[in-house]
Amino acid sequence: MSNPIIRVIGTAGHVDHGKSALIEALTGTHPDRLKEEQERQMTIDLGFAWWTLPDGEEVGVVDVPGHRDFIENMLAGVGGIDAVLFVVAADEGVMPQTREHLAIVDLLNVPAGVVALTKVDLVDDPDWLDLVEADLRQVCQGTVLGDAEVVRVSAVSGEGLDKLQEALSCCLSERPPRPDLDRPRLPIDRVFTIAGFGTVVTGTLLDGSLEVGEEVEILPGGQRGRVRGLQTHKQEQQTAQPGSRTAVNVSSVAVEKIQRGHVLSRPGLFKPTRRLDLSFRLLSDASQPLEHDDEVKFFLGAAEVLGRVRLLGVEALNPGESGWLQLELRQPVVAARGDRYILRRPSPGETMGGGAVVDPHPAGRHKRFSEETLARLETLAQGEPAEVLLQALLALGAAPLSQVLERSHLDAEVAAQAVEQLLADGKMVVLEGDKTKPKPDALVVGASLFEDLGARAVQALEAFHQANPLRQGMPRQELKSRLKASAPLFAAVLAQLEADGEVGQVGPCVSRRGHAVRFNAQQQAKVDELLAAFATSPNAPPTVKECLAAVGQELYTALVELGELRPL
């Protein structure tokens, strides 16, 4: 029997607007776990709780801090949630962190949400409530919460709590469950030890399931261990499902080697990166433009890393504008195509904007104003699955199909259809094995690269013949070096050119079809004279030194390649 799918809701809203109190009223659990938080009655770090909705669905809650000083802790909690519970106090209305949290929720493209207008027990004037709600709806307009239901509630009196739970149930029922892409990753937001058990990490599990006993890896450090135990909402599980709040007891990994922002996954599935290609939108109320080489704080999952911006295609982005970035990070992170992220200005602290990861492993530093690079990023960001797969293929050159599929980050079934489409359209070339149904380890290459190598090979041979008319052809190894191609790719290109009648091979050399060594009259006279010396003295033929003296190095080499002479 499979484990139930458990959704995760994240809170958001201005400090002291009643997020934690509302969660306690809904779940019976106060999410503030730190003594300092309870004393100050303010959430500093992430809090967690859970409850069962009226329809029987279990829901986990990540309660995040609202105070400006702790907003970067808030960013560690809103990644990977299924919906947001957006909280605004009726006695104060929309406040600065209300707007900032809303901008973050919108930039992260949180798929659904409900707005809770809290503390209605403190407001006696119905007109005031109507005014605050109208203002709130206007602020949410044009964001992911533009159509969200607004529910008036009180954590003290219990007013509206049943309606809020029904709204959350309806909101979640319209969302499909998190897909299982068979590449699990757990962005770690907490790490601690339990006596008798050892290291425990928690986070929201993405993209796949985890099972007790399987080997795991902590990235970017690469520490290996095994899943000793799994818990979801303090219930032990044999298997943790994608989308669930999960605690993982990991053996053989010391707690001091793990920190918030690291990622737990199966070995070999993900590769840390310090360079990312990103789509980006600068918030319209940002205090200043984003300029090339600006230092930023990058937030992805639970990770927070400093980096520098390389603006692509423009000199600067003004508030409200969108564009492309290549980000160079100080420390490596684990990312996948499509991940949402946030950029903040380090000092003074300000949420600047965000977007999506377009390529987590660009081949190198892009030329900032390359039209080809900008077109490729556009394709990766908005293209069909086959286009995304093709871009991954072109970025890798010749590579095993499994590596291309991994880089594309497509669902397995979608990826298989994309492979079929590329083969049918003649955009992918299989270099070995079954050409129509390649296996995962089959070497593949983009047709455009394959054709380009063929054209370059022909050009190289023509230039060689022009420069060396007395040579039968270019040595294969020299041609391979000029093309900078791997051995399997070079062999496949050569075989195709030979099948098309473009080239021929003689011994260790390759030549254009139709090329032949021809001596002029003066050269032919020298050759005839040398060959006559061999015929005259068959038992005491000329030495190599005497041959070179008679005809010169170029003619001598030509005669050897033609088989007229054979050095002993």
Side-chain angles (χ1 to χ4, degrees), residues 76-89:
V78 294
I81 63 176
D82 296 292
V84 62
L85 178 57
F86 198 70
V87 177
V88 180

Side-chain angles (χ1 to χ4, degrees), residues 433-453:
D434 192 330
K435 307 296 184 184
T436 57
K437 292 184 178 181
K439 294 182 178 180
D441 60 349
L443 203 62
V444 295
V445 67
S448 59
L449 175 59
F450 188 80
E451 292 165 3
D452 177 65
L453 280 173

Side-chain angles (χ1 to χ4, degrees), residues 361-375:
H361 297 284
R365 300 185 83 189
H366 300 312
K367 293 180 180 178
R368 289 186 55 213
F369 296 93
S370 164
E371 291 296 330
E372 182 181 351
T373 295
L374 297 176

Side-chain angles (χ1 to χ4, degrees), residues 9-13 19 22 26 51 53 81-88 102 105 110-118 136-137 140 144-153 160-175:
I9 292 173
T11 64
K19 296 186 295 297
L22 180 59
L26 288 169
W51 86 101
L53 292 172
I81 63 176
D82 296 292
V84 62
L85 178 57
F86 198 70
V87 177
V88 180
L102 178 60
V105 167
V110 175
V114 174
V115 179
L117 190 59
T118 60
L136 182 54
R137 290 185 184 277
C140 291
V144 290
L145 296 180
D147 297 324
E149 185 175 353
V150 178
V151 183
R152 300 179 182 185
V153 299
L161 293 182
D162 290 343
K163 186 177 180 182
L164 179 61
Q165 294 197 69
E166 291 174 4
L168 288 168
S169 291
C170 180
C171 172
L172 290 172
S173 68
E174 296 173 355
R175 302 301 310 164

